[in-house]
Amino acid sequence: MKRLMQPSFILIAIGIMVISVSLLWIINMLPLISYQHVPQEVSKLIGLSQANLSEPWRISMTEEITQQAKKYPDMRVIITDAVDSSERQVDDVKRLLAYGIDLLIISPTDSKILTPVVTEAYKTIPVIVLDRAVEGYDYTLYIGPDNQLIGRETGRYVSELLGKSGGQVWEIQGRSGSPPTIDRSTGLRQEIERHTGIWLTKTVTADWLRDQAEDALTTLFITNQAPDVIVSQNDAMAYGAILAAKKAGVSNIKFIGVDGLEGTNGGLDLVRRGLLSATFICPTGGKEAVNYAWDILEKKPGIPKKIYLRTRKITAETVNDNVDPYASFRHPRSKQEPIRLGFAQVGSESRWRLTNTKSIKDAARDAGIELTFIDGQQKQTNQIEAIRSFIKQKVDIIAFSPIVESGWEQVLQEAKDAGIPVILSDREVDIKDDTLWATFIGSDFLEEGRRAARWLLSYMKQHPTEDGEIHIVELQGTAGSAPAIDRKRGFEMTLAPYPQYKIIRSEIANFYFDQGRDVMKQILETEQRRIDVLFAHNDDMALGAIQSIEAAGLKPGKDIVIVSVDAVKEAFQAMIQGKLNCTVECTPLLGPQLMKVIQDYFDGKELPTRIITSEEVFPAEIARAVLPKRRY
């Protein structure tokens, strides 16, 4: 009997093995064949590497991408799910590349771990990074929410809810150490610290998941007095906190979430049911990623480096309204009717600014936009007067480059009351009400400071000083201006882990050539310590400083290493002469992007919060090869 059954057992075992191997193959290949079949004849094959398909927000992002891609008949998307494993996502990207995709869209599980494989992909195809940026600039375009702004907005709403009486706040964070978690928490704390009666007393981590938030809050409610407000970094965790409070019999807590998704127990549903006091819509960027993927593969000009999407506060009063903050501004207009633009420039303080002005005037002419241009001559009062004159002229839209960050609330409120949207160009403002301006177009000044510092770290590693210490002199731009504040902060943040790098003098030279020359002369005459490095916030100040360094009998670029920002032609010439070591690009050619954004606005498209231009770092060794290609 045993002898007769043995072959059957063998056949069954073989069958099980075959089925198991087949299932493993199917499971392994499923991400590459999910959502849609890819015919060989399509010319644009997109690979989407998704961090996970368990979070509702990421499911929404993926669905948005697949639906938007259907609007392009020559485009198909292959989707992979890393199931929250960085190692698997690295493998996913490699498999997508081997599959022959034309462009990669990736939403990383971990910024640091995914950076090398994204860098490798970027060497051969365009890469769009969604939601979480990778380290460095080795990608084509980043699209994501402004997470610090989301944090500040939630903090502002907390202050509205609690009023002068104040109260206690608990915070539920997403994944520990992830950029969105850090940035939203930083923004929340920045805002809460402005109010002496509000205390952030508890913080828990729940990995963006409802169940983990419910478990964590259930434990907290047992041993702690309930807070007045609970701020959750997404709506799913907020719902978990709501369920925990219900189980604990705790009431009178105000809950705030982030994401603003539709669907059962989504943020909008929870607001409608009165369970959330507010949610803040956090766009996934899926639709924008597909649109830009098409533009990139079509080689269209003017692709930015970063886009930060707009967030909106949704409460019970606004949940069913048109949530476009500029809906009342949009008026039907004839295509034949020229758009009237009023632009208030800072002044003409540098080569960069003169080129920026020319770019704006040329682009307006080419786009058929009627431009009224006023030079503020480096005075905020002149710019405010210019904006008010635009309001009186009833222009269609206003753009300006603010000389400093503060002091704009009143005039921008006047523009909003007049129904005229405002675009910030080159520099940002520091005001509470973000609806007073439509969008910002310009550079990432913080990143420029970081890039200058990263280049310096690399260079000094190859050219160390005798005692190992590096003494740095800094020439700052205009006090209170966004580029001066952020370039300084980015530079210092990057050097902070290296105590041997010491900024021994930091002086203001207002972005002017002559002030850079005069301030550097005064530093050289009074500073007793050795100067190893000069970091200038723009090329003009660096070029002025070079004159004083030479007059003091020193060799700029050798005795003093010099790194600056802007990348104007004169800086390249100085590098070729060996007098400047590196310049970090800050492009003044913002005119075409500004006109495109204006046209998009009047075409009814929603504008992002910030549009960051694409820029590079130019060390001296490549200056001669690059100079002939420079346009400014």
Side-chain angles (χ1 to χ4, degrees), residues 429-491:
V429 295
D430 182 16
I431 55 179
K432 286 186 177 181
D433 186 355
D434 296 309
T435 67
L436 295 181
W437 48 276
T439 190
F440 162 80
I441 302 174
S443 301
D444 187 336
F445 300 131
L446 191 73
E447 179 63 22
E448 288 169 357
R450 287 179 179 142
R451 297 174 99 175
R454 285 196 291 263
W455 174 86
L456 182 61
L457 289 169
S458 175
Y459 183 85
M460 296 309 296
K461 188 176 181 180
Q462 303 300 319
H463 304 82
T465 58
E466 289 185 6
D467 60 4
E469 290 196 345
I470 295 95
H471 297 170
I472 303 169
V473 165
E474 179 183 33
L475 292 182
Q476 295 185 47
T478 305
S481 68
I485 292 169
D486 287 347
R487 285 172 189 165
K488 179 177 180 61
R489 189 158 61 96
F491 189 75

Side-chain angles (χ1 to χ4, degrees), residues 18-48:
V18 170
I19 293 169
S20 299
V21 170
S22 300
L23 285 172
L24 285 171
W25 182 88
I26 291 169
I27 291 168
N28 188 53
M29 291 301 296
L30 184 59
L32 287 176
I33 57 176
S34 61
Y35 287 93
Q36 49 188 302
H37 174 65
V38 182
Q40 294 298 314
E41 64 271 15
V42 299
S43 67
K44 295 176 177 63
L45 185 57
I46 311 299
L48 169 60

Side-chain angles (χ1 to χ4, degrees), residues 404-551:
V404 294
E405 287 190 337
S406 59
W408 302 101
E409 285 90 347
Q410 180 59 44
V411 71
L412 295 188
Q413 185 63 56
E414 292 171 19
K416 184 175 181 179
D417 292 342
I420 302 174
V422 175
I423 294 175
L424 306 178
S425 175
D426 169 42
R427 299 180 179 182
E428 298 186 73
V429 295
D430 182 16
I431 55 179
K432 286 186 177 181
D433 186 355
D434 296 309
T435 67
L436 295 181
W437 48 276
T439 190
F440 162 80
I441 302 174
S443 301
D444 187 336
F445 300 131
L446 191 73
E447 179 63 22
E448 288 169 357
R450 287 179 179 142
R451 297 174 99 175
R454 285 196 291 263
W455 174 86
L456 182 61
L457 289 169
S458 175
Y459 183 85
M460 296 309 296
K461 188 176 181 180
Q462 303 300 319
H463 304 82
T465 58
E466 289 185 6
D467 60 4
E469 290 196 345
I470 295 95
H471 297 170
I472 303 169
V473 165
E474 179 183 33
L475 292 182
Q476 295 185 47
T478 305
S481 68
I485 292 169
D486 287 347
R487 285 172 189 165
K488 179 177 180 61
R489 189 158 61 96
F491 189 75
E492 291 176 346
M493 285 168 54
T494 305
L495 294 182
Y498 306 92
Q500 68 270 34
Y501 287 79
K502 305 179 189 304
I503 299 177
I504 59 173
R505 292 283 290 271
S506 184
E507 306 290 347
I508 294 171
N510 289 308
F511 295 117
Y512 282 103
F513 175 94
D514 57 352
Q515 290 191 33
R517 178 195 61 211
D518 296 344
V519 171
M520 193 65 196
K521 180 176 183 291
Q522 187 267 338
I523 291 172
L524 289 167
E525 290 173 347
T526 59
E527 182 56 55
Q528 300 300 312
R529 291 164 291 186
R530 182 186 75 244
I531 300 173
D532 301 305
V533 175
L534 168 64
F535 170 48
H537 286 194
N538 80 341
D539 291 336
D540 280 69
M541 293 187 296
L543 295 168
I546 285 171
Q547 286 192 0
S548 293
I549 292 170
E550 289 181 316

Side-chain angles (χ1 to χ4, degrees), residues 61-346:
M61 177 199 292
T62 304
E63 181 63 17
E64 194 172 312
I65 288 171
T66 56
Q67 292 305 314
Q68 190 67 15
K70 291 177 181 178
K71 297 180 181 180
Y72 296 94
D74 205 26
M75 177 186 287
R76 295 293 183 273
V77 180
I78 310 172
I79 300 168
T80 64
D81 175 9
V83 293
D84 255 344
S85 166
S86 297
E87 292 74 17
R88 174 159 177 166
Q89 191 165 31
V90 169
D91 291 338
D92 286 347
V93 172
K94 291 178 179 177
R95 286 190 293 134
L96 286 169
L97 293 172
Y99 204 71
I101 59 173
D102 300 302
L103 180 145
L104 172 68
I105 299 174
I106 181 170
S107 185
T109 54
D110 184 283
S111 298
K112 185 174 183 179
I113 295 175
L114 269 297
T115 292
V117 75
V118 168
T119 298
E120 194 63 30
Y122 182 59
K123 291 177 181 178
T124 56
I125 61 171
V127 178
I128 295 176
V129 181
L130 276 180
D131 175 34
R132 296 170 183 161
V134 292
E135 296 181 350
Y137 257 38
D138 285 341
Y139 53 82
T140 309
L141 173 63
Y142 166 79
I143 301 174
D146 188 335
N147 285 303
Q148 280 207 26
L149 177 60
I150 289 173
R152 290 196 299 273
E153 292 286 354
T154 57
R156 287 170 195 165
Y157 188 60
V158 167
S159 67
E160 290 178 25
L161 289 175
L162 296 179
K164 293 182 180 179
S165 59
Q168 292 190 38
V169 180
W170 288 0
E171 178 189 27
I172 309 176
Q173 296 185 355
R175 175 163 297 174
S176 179
S178 72
T181 296
I182 294 170
D183 288 346
R184 291 180 192 180
S185 188
T186 298
L188 174 66
R189 282 163 168 74
Q190 286 174 348
E191 190 60 33
I192 284 179
E193 287 171 2
R194 296 159 62 103
H195 305 277
T196 55
I198 300 175
W199 296 276
L200 182 59
T201 56
K202 294 288 181 185
T203 297
V204 297
T205 300
D207 291 341
W208 310 107
L209 300 175
R210 188 198 75 183
D211 292 346
Q212 288 195 31
E214 183 177 354
D215 293 344
L217 269 293
T218 297
T219 301
L220 275 183
F221 283 134
I222 293 172
T223 56
N224 295 271
Q225 181 181 348
D228 301 286
V229 178
I230 293 179
V231 178
S232 172
Q233 291 188 347
N234 77 350
D235 293 330
M237 296 187 297
Y239 186 48
I242 291 167
L243 296 176
K246 184 177 180 181
K247 285 194 297 185
V250 177
S251 58
N252 299 322
I253 300 176
K254 303 291 186 182
F255 295 91
I256 300 172
V258 175
D259 279 353
L261 299 179
E262 288 284 8
T264 303
N265 297 329
L268 300 182
D269 179 49
L270 296 174
V271 170
R272 290 189 183 101
R273 290 158 57 192
L275 299 177
L276 277 183
S277 296
T279 184
F280 289 80
I281 289 181
C282 179
T284 70
K287 178 175 66 176
E288 291 81 1
V290 172
N291 292 340
Y292 271 104
W294 179 271
D295 289 348
I296 290 167
L297 293 174
E298 287 288 297
K299 301 188 185 306
K300 292 186 178 180
I303 303 297
K305 192 67 176 181
K306 295 181 181 180
I307 292 175
Y308 293 93
L309 303 170
R310 182 171 298 281
T311 187
R312 310 187 192 104
K313 179 177 72 176
I314 303 297
T315 63
E317 292 74 27
T318 63
V319 68
N320 295 316
D321 295 345
N322 185 333
V323 290
D324 178 359
Y326 288 91
S328 61
F329 294 0
R330 300 192 190 278
H331 306 296
R333 34 184 319 111
S334 166
K335 290 289 184 181
Q336 287 71 40
E337 182 184 357
I339 297 169
R340 294 173 300 149
L341 164 66
F343 191 97
Q345 182 62 284
V346 171

